Amino acid sequence: MIAPMSELLAIRYDFDVVWDFLFDPIVLEALWETMKISTLAMVGGVVLGIVLAVMRVSRNPVASTASGLYVWFWRGTPVILQLLMFFFGLKQVIDEDIFRDNWTRFRAAVVIFAFNEAAYMAEIGRAGILSVDPGQMDAAKSLGMTNLQAMRRIILPQAIRVMIPPTGNEFIALLKNTSVLFAIGIVELTNAARIQAARNFKIMELYSVAAFWYLMIVTVFSIGQAELERRFAAGERDQPQTLFSRMTRVVGASRRGEGKF
Amino acid sequence: MVRIEDAHKRFGELEVLRGVTTNVARGEVVVLLGASGSGKTTLLRCINHLDKLDDGRIYVDGELVGYREVKGKIVEDKESAIARKRAQIGMVFQRFNLFPHLTAIGNVIEAPMRVKKMPKAAAQELGREQLEKVGLSDKIDEHPNKLSGGQQQRVAIARALAMQPKLMLFDEPTSALDPELVGEVLDVMKELARDGMTMIVVTHEIGFAREVADRVVFMDEGVIVEDAPPRELIESPKHERTKAFLSRIL
Amino acid sequence: MPRLFRTFLTLCLVALAAALVFAACGDDDDDNGGNGGGGDIDISGVPELDDGVLNVGSDIAYAPFEFYEEGTTTPDGLDIDLAEAIAVALDVDIEFQNTGFDGIIPALEVDDFDVLISAMTITDERSEVIDFVPYITVGTGIVVPTGNPDGIAGLDDLCGKTVAVQVGTIQFDMLEAQNDSCDDDVNIVVFDTNPLAVEDLRTGGSDANFSDYPVAAEDAAISGGDLEVVDTQIAPEPYGLGVRKTSTELNAVLDEALQAIIDDGTYQQILDDWDLPDIALN
């Protein structure tokens, strides 16, 4: 389809290719792969990150230093380098079949991305913990709680509320960073489009499909994040308004026949 | 019950406690009076080891809190031991420090369940009891942000009492309250005193001191200046500094 | 406010004018010399060679066809030598532009360079988009770990195995086609560049690597004993220099130049130098 806009510009964009590829099994498979890796890595990263954050603020110098070193390395090197080093590099160094057979692409991707993410989450966790009023720890301790008990029951639940927006951001960044997984042979969303583009040369059309799916995931996720923020705000003065809560409120009010919402 | 021997505490360059020595007997109610910076809050916090002493010793019911004696030397105790001793000392803070993500009853039963491993049903019973005693039975499922200042502080007192402490420490419990809410908190404290609780109260509420305290201790610049029954100290203070302070706040 | 707006408008117009001038300059069509007497081939009617330079695109990570000399940014290889010989025959200078293989045809289409030489097999799909000048005939080869533990002798043996390939190559297409006749599908693992695909084979992530035969042989040779190449060349096909469909004049002179270096023996000499005498165009 060529739509000449004038004598200077001839626009070629094949919408048929876009529709065809949008729900192509290769794309959906790659989409699923991207989602799996992103989600598993994020969960791992959050859990490990919170542990690292608690270690970082602890009075134990060993814990604090170990955590600091971890963050320094995993935050200070590019993730693609980490992938190459710990997938190819490690397999080169460890010439054992048991290791090589079990350190699959997929597992390496999840683990390395999780380790990388944990470094960022550790900093977010630390900021979250420090944002909790010190009086909370005083009260918890005065009631006879140990540091760990206080962290788990009192400090972290409050810290998490503050951590939700930056964590959401991190997930979105991680999702998009998965495009570098091609370096270790994983076909995720961007590269599914790339492989196809190498065959029919419809670059713009195919990458539009990949872009569409990234945007879809991010949009759905953002709605979920807003709901999560609202839930964690129970007990706080300002309850955030989300699209969902606004809609339910309007529907509820109109049902009750109230004029002004 | 509480024995304080030559307590010293420094924050960087600033010496906040410069050798405080005094005792509090079981069942006694002692009011700590003094200007800000006099060290009274720090002294309170050193009793349950929220702040660490630089020198001197504090015994609660015959035991050091936060330390143990090893071959004649004082070393810092293990965290679990410190926590155990702290559980027997209740503290009420100026800014309440209620846990915002828990309801009133949630706040009260948290420590009994986690620290004393009380089963949930028993803890709920205990929680209801304590909140009834402070007059808040109708607010047990409310979050702190729905309660007035006076109500929050009463929950805080119930929370501390739920651990059945031997000693209660109060750090300016009514200073952050609107005047009309002060009374309800003081009432709870008076009843506690009547029931025989050992209490050390840092406060500016002279009326409370006169009515309930067995002794009033006046501190200034890190030392105890005067220590006498309330009638005596308030009406006929012996020291210049005491007189100066009282004239400012009365 | 109108004053500010007028200034803004003026700046926009100036910027636009400047952009148009530069755009016009890019398509400079006037003769500016370029080639003198020397060459026997008349390149005066070839617009791409007006500046006296043959701009060549290549995925310079495919030894022995094109690669960077160790520790340098100097391209070397069979394709490189052939391209340089052609440039000499046309009496022009030559410049190489390194481009990822799967993006090299689109890059050619948008004028990043004027001809591509990148061990590219001439296929029907590619011929729909660009024109080719055939220059050598090469087959595909399979690289396996030394000792050939899976006993791979040909394409059929790759069924049920994990094979590493480079994105956008015919090897990828061949494996997909092979799956039609496989009970157990080939697990195709795709990489940016062929060296990464070989790396996957070396570290046990794949059972075989599938690339052009000379490349496969080279990878096996430099693997320090870890890899070997399966002896048979699969499906030899002509490779082509790629030009845009609109570059008809360039196409013609490239053909002439290639013929010239075949005639004077330079072509075969280069092939012999690279130990690949048998891949001559037939």
Side-chain angles (χ1 to χ4, degrees):
Chain A
M1 176 187 95
I2 304 177
M5 319 256 306
S6 71
E7 249 138 39
L8 287 173
L9 298 169
I11 305 285
R12 290 171 222 258
Y13 191 82
D14 206 333
F15 278 105
D16 292 331
V17 173
V18 175
W19 298 134
D20 281 340
F21 200 56
L22 203 56
F23 296 102
D24 188 301
I26 296 180
V27 163
L28 296 179
E29 165 105 34
L31 176 62
W32 179 229
E33 197 76 3
T34 303
M35 294 279 349
K36 271 194 296 185
I37 294 176
S38 303
T39 311
L40 289 172
M42 192 64 192
V43 169
V46 169
V47 170
L48 183 56
I50 291 181
V51 169
L52 287 165
V54 172
M55 281 170 68
R56 193 82 177 95
V57 301
S58 114
R59 286 180 311 168
N60 181 331
V62 173
S64 180
T65 313
S67 175
L69 283 175
Y70 179 96
V71 171
W72 173 76
F73 174 77
W74 285 94
R75 215 173 47 152
T77 47
V79 69
I80 187 170
L81 180 63
Q82 293 161 1
L83 283 170
L84 293 170
M85 272 206 324
F86 294 110
F87 181 65
F88 287 129
L90 261 191
K91 291 213 293 181
Q92 209 178 75
V93 165
I94 303 176
D95 198 349
E96 288 292 329
D97 274 339
I98 295 182
F99 176 71
R100 288 182 175 190
D101 286 339
N102 282 301
W103 192 226
T104 64
R105 238 170 284 287
F106 182 84
R107 289 176 195 165
V110 172
V111 171
I112 294 169
F113 261 95
F115 274 34
N116 179 282
E117 189 56 43
Y120 294 90
M121 287 308 303
E123 288 301 285
I124 291 174
R126 198 167 68 91
I129 290 173
L130 292 177
S131 78
V132 176
D133 187 271
Q136 291 291 302
M137 189 50 115
D138 279 346
K141 283 198 183 158
S142 75
L143 288 166
M145 290 195 203
T146 61
N147 205 26
L148 229 55
Q149 281 174 328
M151 271 291 168
R152 268 189 57 226
R153 299 290 309 173
I154 309 299
I155 309 293
L156 284 179
Q158 296 182 58
I160 286 182
R161 193 208 168 198
V162 170
M163 284 166 58
I164 292 178
T167 303
N169 242 27
E170 282 298 317
F171 176 73
I172 292 172
L174 188 152
L175 175 74
K176 293 181 295 171
N177 278 340
T178 53
S179 53
V180 305
L181 284 171
F182 206 37
I184 61 172
I186 292 183
V187 178
E188 42 64 64
L189 198 48
T190 303
N191 290 293
R194 183 172 168 184
I195 291 176
Q196 195 59 18
R199 304 159 95 179
N200 63 14
F201 309 107
K202 302 276 182 191
I203 299 199
M204 196 60 185
E205 293 86 339
L206 293 169
Y207 287 135
S208 303
V209 171
F212 168 80
W213 283 116
Y214 279 116
L215 287 167
M216 272 292 103
I217 299 176
V218 171
T219 306
V220 169
F221 176 76
S222 299
I223 294 176
Q225 176 182 333
E227 266 311 301
L228 202 64
E229 282 183 43
R230 199 175 66 84
R231 235 156 262 262
F232 267 88
E236 303 286 338
R237 193 158 288 127
D238 299 313
Q239 302 251 349
Q241 292 272 29
T242 65
L243 186 63
F244 191 67
S245 70
R246 258 188 271 248
M247 277 164 46
T248 48
R249 201 164 56 92
V250 167
V251 169
S254 70
R255 272 219 204 111
R256 290 191 295 270
E258 286 157 31
K260 281 211 191 107
F261 310 127
Chain B
M1 167 68 68
V2 181
R3 198 163 83 238
I4 303 172
E5 292 171 5
D6 197 32
H8 285 263
K9 172 79 191 154
R10 211 179 310 113
F11 283 113
E13 286 299 311
L14 187 64
E15 221 184 333
V16 176
L17 294 176
R18 297 166 196 245
V20 176
T21 302
T22 188
N23 291 342
V24 177
R26 195 178 305 265
E28 242 193 319
V29 175
V30 174
V31 165
L32 278 184
L33 217 56
S36 56
S38 59
K40 52 197 203 300
T41 295
T42 308
L43 184 65
L44 212 65
R45 286 172 65 94
C46 284
I47 294 175
N48 69 350
H49 201 65
L50 282 184
D51 283 336
K52 297 187 218 190
L53 284 178
D54 288 319
D55 208 352
R57 301 188 192 188
I58 299 182
Y59 295 88
V60 175
D61 209 11
E63 290 184 321
L64 288 168
V65 178
Y67 300 97
R68 80 205 132 93
E69 202 139 355
V70 172
K71 297 189 232 205
K73 292 226 302 246
I74 303 288
V75 290
E76 192 163 11
D77 214 342
K78 286 186 307 184
E79 197 188 358
S80 50
I82 302 179
R84 216 179 319 119
K85 291 187 193 156
R86 280 200 188 120
Q88 299 172 333
I89 306 171
M91 190 158 188
V92 175
F93 300 87
Q94 182 175 357
R95 283 158 70 224
F96 330 139
N97 288 342
L98 286 183
F99 306 136
H101 57 296
L102 301 175
T103 58
I105 191 161
N107 263 270
V108 174
I109 66 176
E110 182 64 21
M113 277 173 41
R114 303 297 151 192
V115 178
K116 286 189 167 172
K117 309 276 192 272
M118 203 183 267
K120 186 152 190 197
Q124 294 264 21
E125 247 322 291
L126 175 66
R128 259 185 276 267
E129 243 180 77
Q130 293 297 338
L131 284 168
E132 201 186 315
K133 274 209 206 139
V134 300
L136 288 171
S137 311
D138 55 335
K139 298 277 185 209
I140 60 174
D141 289 319
E142 296 288 355
H143 281 279
N145 69 335
K146 298 276 199 314
L147 304 173
S148 74
Q151 290 168 331
Q152 286 187 55
Q153 193 62 299
R154 284 189 275 153
V155 174
I157 295 174
R159 178 176 69 175
L161 290 175
M163 290 297 283
Q164 278 150 350
K166 301 190 240 184
L167 166 69
M168 282 287 280
L169 306 172
F170 291 82
D171 185 6
E172 303 208 37
T174 56
S175 297
L177 294 175
D178 291 334
E180 66 266 22
L181 301 173
V182 168
E184 65 198 52
V185 174
L186 290 181
D187 286 340
V188 170
M189 288 167 69
K190 286 177 199 172
E191 183 159 348
L192 203 57
R194 268 199 288 276
D195 288 341
M197 174 64 76
T198 314
M199 294 163 62
I200 305 179
V201 183
V202 172
T203 185
H204 295 300
E205 294 291 325
I206 301 293
F208 175 83
R210 230 196 290 253
E211 235 186 280
V212 183
D214 296 309
R215 275 159 57 205
V216 175
V217 171
F218 174 69
M219 282 180 70
D220 194 29
E221 290 186 5
V223 290
I224 294 180
V225 172
E226 203 166 328
D227 179 352
R231 200 130 295 164
E232 225 183 280
L233 188 137
I234 294 166
E235 274 150 41
S236 22
K238 293 201 186 67
H239 291 255
E240 276 313 307
R241 291 199 277 178
T242 322
K243 287 187 200 161
F245 175 75
L246 285 172
S247 66
R248 281 206 310 275
I249 67 166
L250 283 176
Chain C
M1 286 312 164
R3 183 115 183 252
L4 199 63
F5 182 66
R6 254 189 296 150
T7 319
F8 177 67
L9 202 58
T10 316
L11 283 172
C12 284
L13 288 172
V14 169
L16 191 60
L20 286 172
V21 169
F22 281 120
C25 283
D27 280 343
D28 210 316
D29 270 25
D30 38 79
D31 272 324
N32 50 2
N35 49 322
D40 291 331
I41 302 170
D42 180 13
I43 61 170
S44 56
V46 184
E48 291 87 348
L49 296 178
D50 272 339
D51 57 352
V53 181
L54 182 64
N55 295 101
V56 183
S58 183
D59 178 20
I60 309 179
Y62 210 55
F65 289 107
E66 48 266 335
F67 57 94
Y68 283 114
E69 286 175 33
E70 192 158 334
T72 72
T73 53
T74 316
D76 195 11
L78 179 88
D79 280 351
I80 306 295
D81 284 349
L82 284 175
E84 283 174 346
I86 288 172
V88 165
L90 295 173
D91 199 20
V92 291
D93 294 325
I94 189 167
E95 268 175 26
F96 290 99
Q97 169 125 332
N98 190 10
T99 311
F101 189 73
D102 64 316
I104 203 169
I105 288 181
L108 176 68
E109 284 195 285
V110 299
D111 293 5
D112 271 5
F113 35 81
D114 300 318
V115 59
L116 70 82
I117 184 167
S118 201
M120 182 174 281
T121 313
I122 302 175
T123 67
D124 291 335
E125 293 87 25
R126 291 169 180 164
S127 299
E128 277 175 33
V129 188
I130 60 173
D131 284 340
F132 285 101
V133 176
Y135 68 103
I136 49 178
T137 308
V138 183
T140 326
I142 306 176
V143 189
V144 291
T146 301
N148 201 346
D150 292 315
I152 295 171
L155 213 54
D156 290 332
D157 296 326
L158 293 176
C159 289
K161 300 280 181 293
T162 303
V163 184
V165 291
Q166 183 182 10
V167 63
T169 56
I170 57 155
Q171 282 81 6
F172 179 78
D173 297 331
M174 286 169 79
L175 289 175
E176 285 226 313
Q178 179 63 27
N179 274 334
D180 290 340
S181 46
C182 273
D183 288 328
D184 226 347
D185 273 2
V186 181
N187 179 18
I188 309 173
V189 187
V190 194
F191 291 88
D192 248 324
T193 61
N194 196 53
L196 272 180
V198 175
E199 188 60 29
D200 202 47
L201 171 63
R202 286 189 66 187
T203 55
S206 306
D207 303 313
N209 162 242
F210 200 34
S211 61
D212 295 348
Y213 189 85
V215 177
E218 178 80 8
D219 287 331
I222 61 171
S223 70
D226 292 337
L227 305 173
E228 67 180 43
V229 64
V230 172
D231 218 3
T232 40
Q233 271 202 63
I234 300 169
E237 294 279 339
Y239 281 9
L241 310 170
V243 293
R244 292 180 285 276
K245 286 200 181 287
T246 50
S247 303
T248 45
E249 306 89 354
L250 181 61
N251 192 330
V253 301
L254 286 173
D255 214 16
E256 278 190 65
L258 180 65
Q259 195 54 54
I261 64 171
I262 289 175
D263 290 339
D264 73 7
T266 315
Y267 177 84
Q268 193 59 48
Q269 182 64 52
I270 292 175
L271 261 53
D272 290 341
D273 284 343
W274 285 98
D275 245 343
L276 295 164
D278 303 324
I279 65 172
L281 202 54
N282 47 4

